[in-house]
Amino acid sequence: MVPKELKSLGDVYLLPLTDEGAPDVPGTYIYLPPPSDPAYVVRFAIEGTSSICRQGSLWVNIPIRGESFQRDHYYEYKLHPDFSRALEIDIPITTAGAFAFYTTYTPLPDFSTITASSPEPTRTPTYYIDVSPKLTLNNAPLPLDALSIFSVISKFMGKYPDGWEKHLRGIGQRGYNMVHFTPLMERGNSNSPYSIYNQLQFDPLCFPNGEKDVETMVANMEQEHGLLGLTDVVWNHTANNSKWLEYHPEAGYNVETAPWLESALELDTALLKFGSMLKTFGLPTTLSNIDDLLKVMDGLKTHVIGALRLWEYHVIDVERNAQAAVDAWIMGKITFPEGGVEEVKDWPIKRKADFLLGTGFVGATEMGPRYHRRIEPTVGAGLLTIIYGRYDSKDQGAPSPGAALTTMTKILDELNLAFYREYDADTAEILEQVFNRVKYVRLDDHGPKLGPITPENPLIESYFTRLPHNATTKMHSSRSLALVNNGWIWAADAMKDNAGPDSRAYLRREVIVWSDCVKLRYGKSSKDNPFLWDFMARYTRLMAKYFAGFRIDNCHSTPIVVAEYLLDEARKVRPNLAVFAELFTGSEQMDYVFVERLGLSALIREAMQAWSTAELSRLVHRHGGRPIGSFEIDDIYENDKTISPHGETDGTNGTASTGRETVRRIKQSPVHALFMDCTHDNEMPAQKRDARDTLPNATLVNMCSCATGSVMGYDEIYPKLVDLVHEKRLYSSPSSEKEVKVGTGEGGIGGIKKLLNQIHTLMGRDGYDETHIHHEGEYVTVHRVHPKSRKGYFAIAHTAYPGYGNGNGNLSPVRLGGTKVKLLGSWSLEVDASDNAKEAVLADAKVLRGLPSRVLKIDGINLESKTDETVITIPSKFPPGSIALFETGIPSAEHSEGLDGFVTSGGKKAFNQLDLVDLNFVLYRCEPEERDFSGGRDGVYSIPNYGSLVYAGLQGWWSVLRDVIQNNDLGHPICNHLRDGQWSLDYLVKRLERIAKQDGHTSLRGPISWLKERFEAIRKIPNFLLPRYFALVIQTAYHAAWDRSLELMGDNIKNGQGFLQRLAMVSIQQTGYMKSSSLWPTKSVPCLAAGLPHFSSDWARCWGRDVFISLRGLFLGTGRYHDAKEHILAFASVLKHGMIPNLLSGGRLPRYNSRDSIWFFLQNIQDYMNMVPNGMDIMKEKVARRFLPYDDTYFEHDDPRAYSKSSTIEEIIQEALQRHALGISFREANAGPSLDMQMKSEGFQIDIEVDWETGIIFGGSQSNCGTWMDKMGESEKAGSKGIPGTPRDGAAVEITGLTYSTLVWVAQLQAQGKYSYSGVKTSTGQDISFVTWAEKIQKNFERCYYIPLDSSEDKDYDVNTAIVNRRGIYKDLYKSGKEYEDYQLRPNFPIAMTVAPKLFTPSKALQALELADKVLLGPTGMATLDPSDHAYRPYYVNSEDSTDFATSKGRNYHQGPEWLWPTGFFLRALLKFDLMRRDSKEERTEAFQQVTRRLVGCKKAIRDSPWAGLTELTQKGGEFCPDSVS
């Protein structure tokens, strides 16, 4: 069943998916807060064009409200392609846990012109969403980061309730809010809490009334003492004397359930026997030195390794296997390998042995019984047959079985060599491991020094538990009664079963074994061991019934599928279960695997692992939280917006929702920590450091922004680690005997710990998640603050590591800028850690006690309050073991609305009066534009150590801040600059104020007022917070301006996908007022730039060709019809020679040297009429003419003749067509170096004519470059000056296509009575109708341009076979000055295909497009020349001044570099012709998806570009080109 879709009205956590279905979030680890009421939602956002939408489904196992979680029950959400918006699927989060999702889809096939089979459906990897549990204590929420956990070893608490209640009261009084109990179940023979005898029975020694006592205790803990319960769960082993093992030996690893362990068992038995017979062998039983150990090892080699013949477990039985192969050969039972076999006969013996190993071998990868490895006799017989032929007893000359046996024996001996080497390696490792282990336990100073070797204290710890022989075990095979003991391996693979078939750890003695614990064998699913899975599930549910949290013991040793199953069982009982884990995988990446799959709340980490103050500082930094002043990554602007610059829309599956919602980004999350000052299985400060370090170590831990914890004995200052196995005494604690008060006192640090825990819990509850840590010598300071209120706590800790004595050390005065500080207290810890004191404490036979100690108050902390800071100075006496605690606040952040709320409010209203030209100023303006408008006074902003912004407007700032915010990069130069001063704030306001003073820009007063008010509010805060609040202001303003921009565009943009919106915003980037540029000589209007920054001002801004290549997309496609019309009219006004100028220069100095511009112009008029409401009206619009109609006379713009005549657009169109029909020939006005210093004299001559046989227009020469590929050679050094890089004279294919498109269009208009002219008159006086002209082109187009796939068809086309480079393409030119240039593959033919598809045979067109797709299309642009062409030079460097004729001074501008704009025409053509062959809805969808797949690079580029646009060109393969423009 598909869940009903939800429309969110609250918090939304945005989860975008990539085109591969992976979560597009930092780090991919998804960690969400506890469930809320009303439920927040996870919003899966998927581009409607994504590949995963092709027959796609999103599968999610997050349960619907009211339904229970089932790991294997996934809800299906169909993904239907949508090419106008993103798909959004909202899923409410109603329960905590570890959830999963994946997608299934049918991959998009590679584009092909032939019918190909569709790819098989595929499934993405499984991804995980972890939802934190919602813990409550006395009906109040208790976030995980607010937990203060206290560990106790349960058996030292005494009998419930006598000792328990007083200790629990003392724990609660100290401000802890959760107690961690080591396992509470009945213990095994070893008496270790972790060696559980009966998982379903609580320890009767602690709980005489069993489960009833536990129930009472847990209730009292919460109601009386304010404590939640947390218990260990032990899933990977059981006590070696667990009675239930006798009934279920299959629950463990034995040689029946795990036959690969047989050799390990034999070795273990032999080692035990050897150890018991040392005297018999004359070997020492007491090891006094290494020599004694070496004697034992020598005896072990003889009596164990040699006697066991362990090699038999590794090698094959050569005699038996050779005979079996020969017998099969004699009987004709033969198996041949696939493929040829003749050459096998001549192979060397090693290769024959490898052949058998690869094709006919059994047991190569795992251990088993002796000689378990063998070859398949029939395969061996096959090899003999290849060598000798088939056996024939009647053939006297045939090889004998004896010869065959000899041959096979040699081959098998060769095969065995590798296995003997394997045996040698294993044996060496066995000896090494035994030596090192015995040395550690008997000789090493840091080892236990166990003493004489006796039956009770054997030579080695046994790897196996031997179950007793009794009536119960008699029911089982004797082979099942030796069970593997559990243990650990240093740096082991956490995903590998160390007792499994692919491990030899137990044979090689690599396991540090726990002899009192039997390793449990779960298998891969409950089917492999039904009893064990059910039994441990019952145990787990019992624990979840009473405890709010689990600590998974040895999580890394628990099969992850088992842990998943058991946690699922636990969460059925207690959905909001906190789960902590002891996890040692050796890899943070592997940690994440466990964390995300199990939904672990935190991993246990310990401060006592730090070996120095510096290392402790590092650990505190790691777990301390975000840096102070961290950025806000959520879209908090306005909260009610429906459009964002990232293209998200509200709602589900793209359907807009109503109401307020807050969209939150999923932040990159580290593995969360439960940071302990000390754990129950590690040494105390009195052992590992100086006992005085107890206080500063605890302080630093409690200042961290994570769950924290301690252990019984730490606050009390026990002299050493409590031995959880052998210790018999019970706990004692001063805190359990009397009321705990904050402050000084004797008997440990309980009074101070109370304050520390209170502060830690308060900060965790309220979200104080920003921290600054400073390390100086033996001092560490920590400042933790709330991100919005800016209230905080500050701690100074003087650590006490051995070797630093009692010196005060040096701590520089602490300066807290803009901060008010209140001293809470300062204290030092004194401890009597003398040998006498330790002996006295340890001598107590009944109870565990701490060392004599006292906490003293320290006076003399000096607080100097200044106007802009508070300075803290510690007194001269502040010895190791001292701390000071302070409360802090920032008055300037205490805004009535909350500073965050104020600076992010009101933006939408402030910007809602701006028009698109205003927004060009507000958002953009590159350096030349800014200089131009300010008269050269002002440019873009420059940031020290970073450089200049690309824009002066908000986009320039946002392009930098976007990544700074995302990465929380507080060390970025922009942050340093903001901390240094407030110049950036001044710049932004003053810049807009200057612009607002200009006529027509009064609407900017709203944004100016808004910015001033916000900046005024944040100017008062300390400079270290300025980056955060500046970013909030810019983010809010940027979003407001962006939203306003989209509001002013067409509905297709407002409701479109993010990529479409980003493209639309380019129209605002490129269109604006300039003092040096306009469309008219005497009237200032916004005009379109050819590219930023190089082509943005003066004469270089407005180019006819560039305007009309881009006008359809930037103006017509965005609904900016007025701007489109203004540009059309302006260029119509300067028609001359039947052409529009390439360089407009405001109409003052137009230059007519581009043959193609007029045709792009005419195409845009056609597009305008088709796309704009009442677009036909433009035909009657009149424009004053810069030059006289049909007159080539040149005069200046202020000449009386200029603009003295007017024409309608219809007349302009006709004049352009008529002038071409007559033929055009002129020399450019003002020709010479002053017009173009690179061009030769002959290049200024422009000639254009129509070939009336074909209707095709020809023009240009080898001395000029009249199409868009217009780079003129400039290098005198290379001899290229005045020689075009790409002349493209003759008939350029795109001009032919554009001409045809125009002719068909006007012919249709004329037929409809909407165009006054029916045709043109040639230079000979002949009348040619538009229909006739178009028919001539259509009749001849493919004959002139197409190069057939088959050379035998060349006769049907105008093709010179000798110079064809590629076939199945359309020529770039026809009849150019250099014939081979006609045949070059370039990206121009798709332009003709787009505007004039009827000129092309669809099948031929698709083949040509398929080739261009493979050969020319890059990540964003299209190669301007075929890479196989001899002239291909794909790296453009305009500054290169070499002798290379092809590349010097960038002559190769269009000879290989990948240009962006042809990609649009290519994709339009590809879609157009692909759709022609598509019939079904699914096929047509595939055609669209083929296009969108090819836009991936552009989507990434525009998203990542600081210019927020697409670059003009790239080098080969999309490589960045510094000389490109945006």
Side-chain angles (χ1 to χ4, degrees), residues 45-90:
I46 304 155
E47 279 202 20
T49 59
S50 172
S51 297
I52 61 174
C53 295
R54 189 170 187 267
Q55 300 168 31
S57 293
L58 171 68
W59 301 84
V60 185
N61 68 2
I62 298 174
I64 300 172
R65 186 186 296 276
E67 294 192 9
S68 60
F69 170 69
Q70 298 179 53
R71 184 169 296 277
D72 297 328
H73 182 196
Y74 284 82
Y75 302 95
E76 181 181 13
Y77 299 82
K78 292 286 188 180
L79 304 177
H80 300 292
D82 189 322
F83 297 91
S84 63
R85 66 181 65 219
L87 307 183
E88 292 180 340
I89 299 169
D90 284 2

Side-chain angles (χ1 to χ4, degrees), residues 1342-1356:
E1342 287 201 331
R1343 180 186 66 80
C1344 295
Y1345 285 97
Y1346 186 64
I1347 305 172
L1349 283 168
D1350 189 340
S1351 61
S1352 66
E1353 299 177 15
D1354 285 358
K1355 62 183 183 301
D1356 300 324

Side-chain angles (χ1 to χ4, degrees), residues 145 148 620-621 623-626 675 695-708 753 755-757 759-761 763-764 768-773 780-785 792-797 824 883-888:
D145 288 349
S148 294
V620 172
H621 186 274
H623 306 308
R626 301 187 300 161
F675 193 30
L695 181 57
N697 185 64
T699 302
L700 294 174
V701 168
N702 274 272
M703 289 296 291
C704 289
S705 182
C706 63
T708 60
K753 202 62 168 294
L755 176 61
L756 291 172
N757 283 331
I759 291 173
H760 177 264
T761 299
M763 292 192 293
Y768 289 59
D769 68 348
E770 292 187 1
T771 312
H772 177 72
I773 296 99
V780 179
T781 67
V782 183
H783 194 188
R784 186 170 161 195
V785 302
Y793 291 89
F794 183 75
I796 298 174
L824 297 178
I883 68 162
L885 290 172
F886 307 86
E887 196 172 49
T888 67

Side-chain angles (χ1 to χ4, degrees), residues 1035-1056:
Q1035 183 180 24
T1036 303
Y1038 176 75
H1039 282 284
W1042 183 285
D1043 283 2
R1044 175 59 179 163
S1045 300
L1046 298 183
E1047 286 175 7
L1048 296 172
M1049 295 190 191
D1051 289 342
N1052 63 315
I1053 304 300
K1054 282 186 282 191
N1055 301 320

Side-chain angles (χ1 to χ4, degrees), residues 159-162 164-166 168-169 181 184 202 206-229 542 545-547 574:
K159 183 182 293 186
Y160 187 81
D162 300 339
W164 288 72
E165 280 299 317
K166 70 175 183 178
L168 292 172
R169 181 178 63 251
F181 299 103
L184 299 171
F202 287 101
C206 291
F207 303 105
N209 297 313
E211 187 176 343
K212 182 64 177 175
D213 280 345
V214 174
E215 181 179 12
T216 302
M217 178 189 72
V218 170
N220 285 347
M221 283 172 58
E222 181 166 354
Q223 294 165 13
E224 303 294 331
H225 308 307
L227 296 168
L228 296 178
L542 178 62
K545 180 179 178 181
Y546 294 109
F547 297 101
R574 188 180 294 269

Side-chain angles (χ1 to χ4, degrees), residues 1093-1109:
H1094 306 314
F1095 302 109
S1096 61
S1097 63
D1098 204 13
W1099 62 268
R1101 182 175 179 88
C1102 213
W1103 298 61
R1105 178 191 297 121
D1106 299 68
V1107 165
F1108 293 106
I1109 284 174

